Amino acid sequence: MVTEESTPVTGRRPRVAVLFGGRSSEHAVSCVTAAGVMGAIDKSKYDVVPIGIAKSGQWVLASGDTSQWSLSSSALPEVSPSDRTVTLAEVGGEHQLIVTAPNAIPEELGSVDVVFPLLHGPWGEDGTVQGLLELSDTRYVGAGVLASAVGMDKHFMKVVFEAAGLTVGPYIAVTDREWLTDAEAVRKRVDKLGFPVFVKPARAGSSMGISKVDSLEGLDAAIEEARRHDLKLVIEAGIVGREIECAVLQGRGTDAPRTSMPGEIAVAMGEHEFYDFAAKYVEDGAAALSCPADMPDEAIARVRELAAAAFDAVGAEGLSRVDFFYTPAGELIINEINTMPGFTPKSMYPQMWAASGLSYPELIDELIHLALTRKTGLR
């Protein structure tokens, strides 16, 4: 259970700005995540201010009606632009929300104690918003600038993991210049990996733009699809193994990171060859989580150990989900770390913590507590 410790806020409820939407292709996923958090956060304990980021990048006051941000197969939620723009500024030593509009006097909405940036993908999960908050000494939930940037870039993520002694699968990184100037060389490098391969945008999540390719004939189309999301790509050799995930939560004070029991994703085959966007967020019953995963005790302990090591390798804070392949030979190959995983009640990260004894509302409360009590500036 979550226990109380002192925070910088006394005499009133801490004010939490929930930040969601954003400019990336994962805008809708961010909205759904925000709906989950706003629906579960303890409003008797926290004063919640929803702030949406439109696809244009404008910050606006958003509705706290969680039904507005639901996701279905027929509609994707979206933050709409407004003639009233929200900014975060330091006024009188406090971090204030200011609303500005044409031909109007700026309106102060009050101070903010912590920002909960529920942003997925570039311009939010990648260290950019974190840098903005760092510049103003504003406390926020989750990883800092460097960890967010490394966790967003699947290429440099693997470089860091390898340097930390973690096992990664065979892959190549492909830049925009390489593809445009010598596509044939790229094809030859991919052919050496062997098929199937997975073609991925280097800096996108939620399976956006990812394709499974079984032969060279399908490679170019998959590369062009991924390039719609990011001009830098990572192409990974297919790995035979079970998909195992582990949720990591920062320890309090100097305590080591906490890890959930590992979970295993089972995807309903037929419509889904892998854990794609629809299986994650749209179609009920397309994917199921078993937690704890059916693994030997030694393997479970190793997953948790490696997940904490990955969290520390990138310098993460707050939360992360670490994904592995568990091969028939018993080898654990790290796939990726996600420093702002999907956070709806049906998402794997909170489900794994719920199965490990920490409920969704308690998890939200703990993340806010960690943000409120950590130092600002260099840590």
Side-chain angles (χ1 to χ4, degrees):
M1 295 292 291
V2 178
T3 59
E4 292 296 327
E5 293 179 9
S6 61
T7 73
V9 183
T10 57
R12 60 177 176 81
R13 292 181 298 175
R15 202 163 197 221
V16 180
V18 176
L19 190 62
F20 63 97
R23 294 170 53 198
S24 82
S25 59
E26 298 177 72
H27 180 103
V29 177
S30 175
C31 294
V32 176
T33 295
V37 170
M38 289 192 292
I41 194 170
D42 186 350
K43 295 183 178 63
S44 68
K45 187 172 182 179
Y46 302 107
D47 182 13
V48 179
V49 183
I51 300 177
I53 302 179
K55 291 183 177 180
S56 64
Q58 182 192 22
W59 292 30
V60 302
L61 281 178
S63 170
D65 179 3
T66 57
S67 65
Q68 181 174 333
W69 311 114
S70 63
L71 179 67
S72 70
S73 58
S74 59
L76 296 177
E78 181 177 333
V79 176
S80 300
S82 171
D83 59 358
R84 304 177 76 228
T85 298
V86 174
T87 58
L88 182 64
E90 188 171 344
V91 180
E94 292 188 336
H95 305 104
Q96 298 274 348
L97 289 173
I98 310 294
V99 178
T100 59
N103 304 316
I105 298 173
E107 176 187 354
E108 293 186 11
L109 295 182
S111 62
V112 169
D113 299 300
V114 64
V115 173
F116 205 140
L118 297 168
L119 299 163
H120 301 300
W123 308 292
E125 189 181 346
D126 59 350
T128 50
V129 164
Q130 289 76 12
L132 173 67
L133 298 173
E134 291 283 356
L135 284 171
S136 62
D137 274 344
T138 302
R139 290 179 169 86
Y140 57 94
V141 172
V145 176
L146 179 61
S148 297
V150 171
M152 189 79 256
D153 190 308
K154 293 178 175 64
H155 172 210
F156 289 110
M157 176 200 304
K158 293 176 187 293
V159 171
V160 170
F161 286 159
E162 288 178 304
L166 299 168
T167 301
V168 304
Y171 75 97
I172 64 169
V174 180
T175 66
D176 179 51
R177 178 170 58 84
E178 288 171 326
W179 179 243
L180 294 179
T181 59
D182 199 346
E184 186 57 30
V186 173
R187 296 184 191 102
K188 290 179 180 178
R189 291 169 64 203
V190 174
D191 200 29
K192 288 181 180 179
L193 287 175
F195 290 93
V197 297
F198 287 87
V199 179
K200 302 180 178 182
R203 295 161 292 195
S206 297
S207 303
M208 293 287 189
I210 297 178
S211 301
K212 181 183 179 184
V213 180
D214 294 313
S215 68
L216 275 175
E217 286 71 23
L219 180 63
D220 285 24
I223 286 177
E224 292 302 333
E225 170 61 21
R227 280 168 54 82
R228 292 197 309 109
H229 299 270
D230 188 355
L231 296 180
K232 180 181 179 182
L233 311 179
V234 167
I235 302 178
E236 301 170 348
I239 296 173
V240 177
R242 295 159 58 186
E243 294 186 42
I244 305 296
E245 301 189 346
C246 187
V248 186
L249 183 64
Q250 178 186 344
R252 290 196 174 196
T254 57
D255 291 347
R258 294 163 278 182
T259 56
S260 73
M261 293 299 290
E264 180 173 12
I265 302 164
V267 179
M269 293 302 171
E271 293 295 323
H272 307 279
E273 283 198 273
F274 61 96
Y275 193 37
D276 60 11
F277 178 85
K280 284 183 179 180
Y281 296 107
V282 178
E283 298 177 18
D284 290 335
L289 174 73
S290 298
C291 187
D294 184 12
M295 303 169 69
D297 291 344
E298 298 79 6
I300 287 176
R302 184 63 175 157
V303 168
R304 300 179 73 175
E305 177 187 351
L306 293 175
F311 188 87
D312 284 339
V314 302
E317 296 170 278
L319 71 164
S320 289
R321 192 195 69 236
V322 185
D323 303 343
F324 299 89
F325 294 110
Y326 181 49
T327 72
E331 185 179 20
L332 283 163
I333 300 172
I334 191 166
N335 183 27
E336 65 179 14
I337 189 171
N338 192 321
T339 58
M340 182 47 72
F343 206 80
T344 69
K346 66 179 287 188
S347 296
M348 301 309 171
Y349 183 89
Q351 282 196 61
M352 285 187 285
W353 275 119
S356 303
L358 192 63
S359 71
Y360 189 53
E362 288 175 326
L363 181 58
I364 293 168
D365 186 56
E366 178 68 356
L367 287 168
I368 294 171
H369 175 89
L370 290 170
L372 283 170
T373 55
R374 81 183 187 191
K375 297 177 182 178
T376 58
L378 296 176
R379 298 184 289 280

